[in-house]
């Protein structure tokens, strides 16, 4: 069930972008470019995973360098383009925040992977991973935003705090796999294989993506006002 969950949640997050394109009446070419881009990214991740490059857990940490950092750079680049900025102007603030509730599902999957002996306990909500609080708070904050009961500054603070919590979660994984010896070899190898590799290569980037989009929306709103 956990294995299917990673595939299913990744697919759902993939289609959330199509939903946003629909809200903005984006041209058909955006759907095609996004679909091809995502496919190429999955092919890259699959190749890196199968090549054995990531199976070396010595320093420097290869997962962050070859998966996480390229994804972040791409996200910043895409959201910085003029075309994407125009599209973001037509997306309601609360919609982006509601989407962040998907992290509740992510944390449940992480815990399930821990029960299956793949992820370490410290990377779950029983350890130092508090990201489930972001997912829960996203539902509350989005509802308040939808009712116009919260200011731009408060939404910005929520995004910053949420990113900080996400950083702690990333640290929990990196420190467990690269700076400790309490994980067995089979646990480490499972992390870099499908579907678990979808966590750092797809689910984590989507969480960062929607925070970046939300923050850019807020900046645009401040500039416009």
């Amino acid at each position: 069930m956990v294995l299917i969950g990673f595939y299913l949640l990744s697919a759902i997050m993939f289609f959330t972008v199509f939903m946003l394109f629909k809200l903005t009446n984006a041209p058909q070419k955006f759907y095609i470019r996004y679909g091809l881009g995502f496919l190429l990214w999955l092919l890259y991740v699959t190749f890196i995973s199968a090549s054995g490059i990531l199976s070396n857990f010595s320093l420097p940490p290869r997962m962050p360098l070859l998966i996480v950092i390229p994804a972040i750079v791409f996200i910043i680049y895409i959201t910085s383009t003029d075309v994407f900025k125009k599209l973001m102007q037509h997306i309601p603030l609360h919609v982006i925040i509601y989407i962040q509730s998907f992290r509740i599902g992510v944390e449940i999957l992480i815990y399930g992977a821990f029960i299956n002996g793949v992820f370490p306990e410290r990377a779950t909500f029983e350890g130092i991973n508090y990201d489930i609080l972001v997912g829960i708070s996203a539902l509350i904050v989005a509802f308040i935003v939808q009712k116009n009961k919260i200011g731009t500054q408060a939404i910005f603070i929520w995004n910053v705090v949420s990113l900080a919590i996400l950083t702690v979660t990333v640290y929990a994984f990196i420190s467990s796999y690269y700076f400790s010896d309490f994980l067995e070899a089979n646990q480490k190898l499972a992390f870099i294989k499908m579907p678990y590799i979808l966590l750092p290569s797809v689910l984590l980037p989507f969480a960062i993506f929607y925070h970046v989009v939300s923050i850019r929306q807020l900046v645009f709103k401040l500039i416009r006002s």
Side-chain angles (χ1 to χ4, degrees):
M1 191 64 182
V2 173
L3 300 179
I4 296 175
F6 275 102
Y7 286 118
L8 182 60
L9 189 55
S10 297
I12 290 173
M13 295 312 299
F14 167 74
F15 284 108
T16 58
V17 177
F18 281 124
M19 179 194 73
L20 296 184
F21 284 159
K22 189 173 181 179
L23 287 175
T24 60
N25 293 317
Q28 189 68 28
K29 63 181 180 181
F30 286 98
Y31 294 84
I32 298 174
R33 289 177 181 176
Y34 168 64
L36 289 176
F38 191 81
L39 176 61
L40 288 174
W41 174 251
L42 285 182
L43 290 174
Y44 167 75
V45 171
T46 302
F47 169 76
I48 290 292
S49 173
S51 68
I53 295 175
L54 300 178
S55 61
N56 186 337
F57 287 88
S58 61
L59 298 179
R62 288 161 176 75
M63 176 70 78
L65 289 176
L66 297 176
I67 301 292
V68 179
I69 292 178
I72 293 175
V73 171
F74 185 71
I75 287 169
I76 294 175
Y77 167 73
I78 289 295
T79 57
S80 299
T81 61
D82 292 335
V83 174
F84 196 88
K85 288 179 180 178
K86 290 179 180 178
L87 291 177
M88 286 190 293
Q89 297 174 23
H90 301 285
I91 304 173
L93 290 173
H94 66 274
V95 171
I96 299 298
I97 301 175
Y98 267 128
I99 293 175
Q100 290 285 14
S101 63
F102 86 96
R103 284 150 80 167
I104 298 174
V106 172
E107 293 308 308
I108 293 174
L109 290 175
I110 290 175
Y111 190 76
F114 158 66
I115 296 299
N116 290 344
V118 178
F119 292 164
E121 184 178 16
R122 74 195 309 259
T124 71
F125 47 71
E126 288 190 348
I128 60 174
N129 180 353
Y130 307 107
D131 207 53
I132 193 169
L133 298 178
V134 176
I136 295 172
S137 65
L139 295 172
I140 300 172
V141 173
F143 179 77
I144 298 174
V145 171
Q146 191 174 7
K147 297 297 182 180
N148 294 316
K149 300 294 185 180
I150 188 173
T152 302
Q153 186 176 18
I155 305 173
F156 181 82
I157 292 174
W158 177 82
N159 275 290
V160 172
V161 172
S162 297
L163 280 171
I165 293 174
L166 187 60
T167 301
V168 174
T169 301
V170 173
Y171 166 77
F173 276 95
I174 293 178
S175 61
S176 296
Y177 284 90
Y178 294 96
F179 300 101
S180 70
D181 297 321
F182 61 81
L183 287 177
E184 297 179 3
N186 62 327
Q187 287 179 289
K188 291 186 176 182
L189 291 177
F191 180 53
I192 63 171
K193 301 297 182 181
M194 288 290 184
Y196 300 110
I197 197 173
L198 292 173
L199 177 63
S201 65
V202 175
L203 299 176
L204 171 62
F206 269 119
I208 297 173
F209 170 75
Y210 282 115
H211 277 307
V212 173
V213 171
S214 182
I215 291 173
R216 290 194 182 279
Q217 283 183 314
L218 296 172
V219 171
F220 174 77
K221 186 177 180 180
L222 289 173
I223 294 174
R224 189 173 57 178
S225 60

